[in-house]
Amino acid sequence: MPQVVTHQDWLDRADGLRPATTHHIDGRDEPGSGGDYAVVSPRDGRTLTRVSDATPAEVDLAVAAARRAFDSGPWPRLAPAERGRFLLRLADLLEEHRGDLALTVSLETGKPITDAHDIELRAAIATFRWYGQLADKLTDESPHVSPDALALVTREPAGVVGAVVPWNFPLTLASWKVAPALAAGCTVVLKPSECAPLSALALARLATEAGLPPGVLNVVSGDGPTAGRALGLHPGVDVLAFTGSTAVGRHFLRYAADSNLKRVWLELGGKSPNIILPDAPDLDAAAATAAWGIFFNQGEMCTAPSRLLVHRSIAERVTEAVLARARALRVGDPLDPATDMGALVGEAHLERVLEHIAAGRADGARLRTGGSRTRTGSGGSFLEPTVFDRVAPDSRLAREEIFGPVLSVLTFDDLEEAVTLANDTDYGLAAGLWTSDLTTAHRVSRALRAGTVWVNCYEEGDLTVPFGGVKQSGNGRDKSAHALEKYTELKTTWIRL
């Protein structure tokens, strides 16, 4: 943690925070002509600041700057090791400004300051460092062909990348797109969520400070229907990378079809199952992890284990342990280091989550704890940790992504039923499994339709492994060397000797 560690210290530091408020295009601040809008903190309902609101004109400026930087600028032509050094400098600057960036993330999203500093910023810094170190480790190919020819397969940067990222992990998810795209030699136009644009605008300025040439990383703030749509439809964008809801992902596929057939990579929603078998190596640890997983980041996480599938013989024991954890969590001011759960991102989102809770009760699920607003005098958007059991597999609670701290407990009688329940979803992002049997671990992991399966843990991993989903959770992968596949093109050159 930084030297500023107390609640009052963070409050004092927040009073002096002056976030960037304009687009950053072609290496400089650009107010644009689209007016501005308020960024409201879910912590207390107050306006943090007003930021520039992008119209298609600002998106055109940003894409034109990225196109110039790609077509005639130095970035794609630098030695990969040199591009890597720029990314490493940017990682150093993120570390240097870690406290203010964490504070910005906490204020704009409502997540606890400790999570913003220790998890969000750690992940963003590590991502730029990892891809900075990877940039010169990629190799081209020379397949063995007939003696009278030479075949070369080269990996070339794909061009201008449009990246659209959500509010729940604004810097982490931006880094997952931006870092590999830059390492590959692409240029980028990043559009953060209108709910949490401030940390991304700060990232853009640090990138310029790190020495990235003008136009290599541009950030425009604005909403999805205007700025996001303009980016998706833009003929000057070669690749579009999006993290967000499945509904919005469909829009980006349509935008690509209606424009230049740009490649679209989607990391979308989830309704992840977490299966606990009676032979789990430690039932208390399994229950504790289940509670942590659904309540971490206020449940606003695409991989959240929102469906807890428990064998009937241990269901009550596990559920009681989860309930004890839920009731012990401290919902508090995000700037208090003692807070376990902060605020949901805003009032509109809180109301949607409350609608899901009301629908669950109407469908006959049993509410075991939570379900109501809390800290009502704060002006913020706070919700109690919420647990339902007796959830029907065909109910809204079991099928729709809630994106909040709401856990649905379902029971099963045998392994086949558990796998059937787990796969009975439109999504396929992640899954968890708790068992002591190695054969069961392998067989069930293979049977689960998910991009990631965690066995006897949840949310573990590092940058060496890919992340992404199947079915309506999207396509393509973030993290690992595989992420570079989204931002490169393979070219075959055949030379007759």
Side-chain angles (χ1 to χ4, degrees):
M1 287 292 292
Q3 291 181 348
V4 181
V5 294
T6 70
H7 189 189
Q8 188 59 51
D9 287 334
W10 283 117
L11 292 173
D12 293 342
R13 192 162 178 170
D15 287 340
L17 190 67
R18 298 294 180 267
T21 59
T22 65
H23 316 298
H24 197 72
I25 299 173
D26 212 15
R28 59 182 181 271
D29 292 348
E30 173 56 64
S33 59
D36 57 26
Y37 69 93
V39 177
V40 176
S41 176
R43 169 180 173 263
D44 54 13
R46 297 180 184 178
T47 296
L48 291 171
T49 188
R50 300 187 69 85
V51 301
S52 298
D53 192 6
T55 68
E58 284 72 47
V59 174
D60 283 343
L61 283 176
V63 173
R67 176 56 60 190
R68 285 192 303 272
F70 184 79
D71 288 347
S72 56
W75 188 253
R77 296 157 191 86
L78 290 177
E82 184 63 20
R83 288 200 296 268
R85 283 191 282 272
F86 280 107
L87 297 185
L88 292 172
R89 283 201 288 272
L90 177 52
D92 290 342
L93 285 171
L94 289 171
E95 185 68 74
E96 182 181 332
H97 294 271
R98 187 171 182 169
D100 282 348
L101 289 168
L103 181 58
T104 301
V105 168
S106 182
L107 288 170
E108 66 184 350
T109 67
K111 72 175 61 188
I113 185 65
T114 303
D115 290 348
H117 183 275
D118 293 354
I119 299 175
E120 175 100 14
L121 265 296
R122 180 189 66 196
I125 293 164
T127 301
F128 280 102
R129 285 199 175 130
W130 198 84
Y131 284 103
Q133 293 164 348
L134 181 68
D136 64 345
K137 308 300 188 297
L138 303 177
T139 58
D140 294 327
E141 303 171 27
S142 181
H144 286 244
V145 295
S146 61
D148 62 349
L150 173 65
L152 302 175
V153 181
T154 52
R155 189 182 297 273
E156 301 183 351
V160 174
V161 173
V164 180
V165 297
W167 43 260
N168 57 327
F169 291 93
L171 276 182
T172 298
L173 297 180
S175 68
W176 284 7
K177 312 294 188 194
V178 172
L182 295 181
C186 296
T187 57
V188 179
V189 178
L190 171 65
K191 193 206 84 67
S193 166
E194 63 270 28
C195 297
L198 302 178
S199 53
L201 292 171
L203 172 66
R205 283 148 182 83
L206 291 176
T208 295
E209 186 178 340
L212 268 70
V216 171
L217 176 59
N218 311 274
V219 177
V220 292
S221 54
D223 66 16
T226 302
R229 181 175 185 274
L231 198 57
L233 287 168
H234 206 291
V237 174
D238 301 297
V239 175
L240 195 291
F242 170 72
T243 294
S245 72
T246 299
V248 176
R250 295 179 191 275
H251 286 303
F252 280 108
L253 290 174
R254 295 187 188 103
Y255 298 154
D258 290 343
S259 56
N260 60 339
L261 290 178
K262 59 178 64 66
R263 283 189 291 161
V264 177
W265 301 107
L266 303 173
E267 196 273 281
L268 305 175
K271 193 68 178 176
S272 299
N274 187 22
I275 304 169
I276 302 181
L277 300 178
D279 69 341
D282 185 335
L283 283 177
D284 290 334
T289 303
W292 171 84
I294 187 59
F295 301 129
F296 169 64
N297 209 56
Q298 299 71 248
E300 297 166 325
M301 190 165 61
C302 54
T303 55
S306 54
R307 291 187 296 147
L308 180 58
L309 310 185
V310 192
H311 192 276
R312 195 176 305 276
S313 65
I314 57 170
E316 191 59 28
R317 174 182 170 182
V318 170
T319 302
E320 287 295 336
V322 169
L323 289 170
R325 291 272 178 171
R327 292 164 180 156
L329 289 174
R330 177 178 176 182
V331 181
D333 182 358
L335 298 189
D336 185 348
T339 289
D340 297 310
M341 247 180 63
L344 273 68
V345 76
E347 283 298 299
H349 183 60
L350 173 58
E351 289 299 325
R352 285 193 292 270
V353 175
L354 288 170
E355 288 173 8
H356 279 284
I357 291 171
R361 301 181 75 166
D363 288 342
R366 180 170 64 166
L367 179 64
R368 299 294 301 273
T369 193
S372 300
R373 294 188 67 131
T374 187
R375 291 178 52 82
T376 54
S378 68
S381 305
F382 295 89
L383 181 66
E384 297 171 323
T386 300
V387 178
F388 283 93
D389 67 2
R390 300 179 183 173
V391 176
D394 59 352
S395 66
R396 287 181 60 185
L397 279 179
R399 303 198 67 82
E400 297 182 10
E401 184 177 38
I402 299 174
F403 223 65
V406 181
L407 180 66
S408 298
V409 181
L410 296 86
T411 58
F412 60 87
D413 291 308
D414 56 49
L415 196 56
E416 182 180 357
E417 184 184 6
V419 172
T420 299
L421 283 172
N423 287 336
D424 185 21
T425 174
D426 293 332
Y427 299 105
L429 189 56
L433 173 66
W434 296 80
T435 180
S436 294
D437 186 272
L438 184 61
T439 298
T440 298
H442 280 290
R443 287 180 176 172
V444 174
S445 295
R446 291 178 180 181
L448 293 173
R449 292 278 291 144
T452 298
V453 178
W454 288 289
V455 179
N456 297 331
C457 61
Y458 207 89
E459 283 296 335
E460 299 291 341
D462 59 26
L463 284 158
T464 64
V465 294
F467 175 83
V470 298
K471 299 195 288 187
Q472 292 187 31
S473 288
N475 56 56
R477 294 295 182 264
D478 288 323
K479 297 172 56 186
S480 83
H482 292 284
L484 293 164
E485 296 164 10
K486 300 193 296 187
Y487 307 115
T488 54
E489 301 279 10
L490 294 180
K491 176 182 285 183
T492 297
T493 303
W494 187 280
I495 303 172
R496 185 173 181 179
L497 301 178

